[in-house]
Amino acid sequence: MLRGVEYGSPAGFRPLLLDLYRPARDPERPVPVVVFVHGGGWRTGRRDRFGPAFAGWPVGPFDRLVRAGFAVASLDYRLSGEAVFPAQLHDGKAALRWLRAHADTLGLDAGRVVLWGESAGGHLAALLALTDARPEWEGDVGEPGPGVRVAGVVDWYGPADLRTMQRQSRPDAVSAPDAVDSREALLLGAPVPAAPERAAAASPVSHVSAAAPPFLLAHGTADRFVPSGQSEQLAAALRAHGCRVSLRLVDGADHLWAGLPDPETVFAEALEFAAQVCGHLGLPAPA
């Protein structure tokens, strides 16, 4: 494992770090990569944590992915208290370019990369994939050069359209996305209704095209932080463009898979999806 590798250093900010977990090196066979993007409402979170639902696992999610034959790169990115959007997207792009630049040295297959994020990390994973090959979203953080090929996206309960979150929210919602002090407002630097163009740019649904990679969307129907309608909306947009998407609504689960007795099923489903889109472990690609 390589811990705390600097992949970029934006002027005036802290260095941006990633942790890289790797299987035993085989010089003849570069390994596919899962790029994990942590959640935390864009304002908190740590790259060494997969989510509280998995904290008690004897073998944690990162190690399980490595045992399945993946390398895992888990990223820091600038939080909303440090910089507003699109800084977070620029940081993710820089990390992907770093992985591409060092793939040969590290034994990574830059042509088989799955983005996997939860909550705010799911939002950023979706944005990273949907703005692929869009130079206007690359930013100037980190090394220049090409990025990786995104083979698929696992998006767990991530916001998809900041403009519709308020009206999709449950009656027992924990917060009001349109409020002046919401997580969304802190990300944008202004309340969502006051910054419609910025909110649209920060919404994955705005960037969907027929070029999108396969998506696996999973969301609890009782989510009080990010309404499950967000994943339904993104799935509909992807289908309208003829893209491959699987939507799993988990009955009764709240945010962070709270209320789900055993998250094993959702994790195993995501791992199988990652293996399929990478043509890994001999599994067929999804139809």
Side-chain angles (χ1 to χ4, degrees):
M1 174 182 176
L2 299 177
R3 187 183 298 277
V5 178
E6 182 177 327
Y7 71 82
S9 186
F13 294 91
R14 61 186 169 91
L16 299 170
L17 308 179
L18 62 80
D19 294 337
L20 184 64
Y21 306 76
R22 294 180 295 174
R25 179 74 186 274
D26 180 348
E28 301 300 320
R29 299 185 64 185
V31 295
V33 185
V34 168
V35 175
F36 182 75
V37 191
H38 70 76
W42 307 285
R43 62 180 182 176
T44 62
R46 293 170 44 165
R47 68 180 186 273
D48 62 346
R49 295 184 180 175
F50 208 89
F54 307 94
W57 279 14
V59 178
F62 296 126
D63 290 330
R64 289 182 63 165
L65 286 165
V66 169
R67 291 184 180 186
F70 288 92
V72 183
S74 187
L75 315 179
D76 277 341
Y77 52 87
R78 280 174 287 177
L79 302 174
S80 59
E82 300 172 297
V84 298
F85 181 84
Q88 297 74 21
L89 179 56
H90 291 169
D91 296 347
K93 295 285 190 181
L96 298 184
R97 292 196 305 273
W98 185 92
L99 288 167
R100 177 66 183 87
H102 297 275
D104 290 345
T105 302
L106 297 169
L108 310 178
D109 187 341
R112 293 190 295 162
V113 174
V114 173
L115 305 179
W116 185 333
E118 54 101 16
S119 193
H123 162 264
L124 293 173
L127 273 178
L128 284 166
L130 295 171
T131 58
D132 190 29
R134 297 271 301 277
E136 67 270 29
W137 293 109
E138 288 293 328
D140 58 2
V141 178
E143 303 182 29
V148 301
R149 177 184 172 274
V150 177
V153 180
V154 176
D155 177 355
W156 281 351
Y157 43 83
D161 189 343
L162 304 188
R163 302 161 296 181
T164 61
M165 287 185 69
Q166 179 83 39
R167 65 175 178 264
Q168 290 178 355
S169 293
R170 292 167 54 91
D172 59 350
V174 172
S175 63
D178 286 355
V180 296
D181 60 348
S182 69
R183 299 170 183 83
E184 293 73 24
L186 293 174
L187 174 70
L188 298 177
V192 172
E197 292 184 1
R198 209 176 313 164
S203 297
V205 293
S206 300
H207 302 280
V208 173
S209 73
F215 269 70
L216 171 62
L217 305 171
H219 212 129
T221 61
D223 196 321
R224 295 171 300 147
F225 287 82
V226 179
S228 58
Q230 291 284 288
S231 288
E232 293 180 272
Q233 188 178 344
L234 181 54
L238 288 162
R239 287 173 182 143
H241 283 80
C243 304
R244 290 184 289 176
V245 56
S246 176
L247 171 65
R248 176 158 185 221
L249 298 176
V250 182
D251 190 43
D254 198 348
H255 205 61
L256 304 174
W257 301 130
L260 185 63
D262 184 2
E264 171 67 40
T265 302
V266 291
F267 181 85
E269 180 181 42
L271 174 56
E272 182 177 6
F273 169 84
Q276 288 177 335
V277 296
C278 288
H280 190 43
L281 306 180
L283 293 171

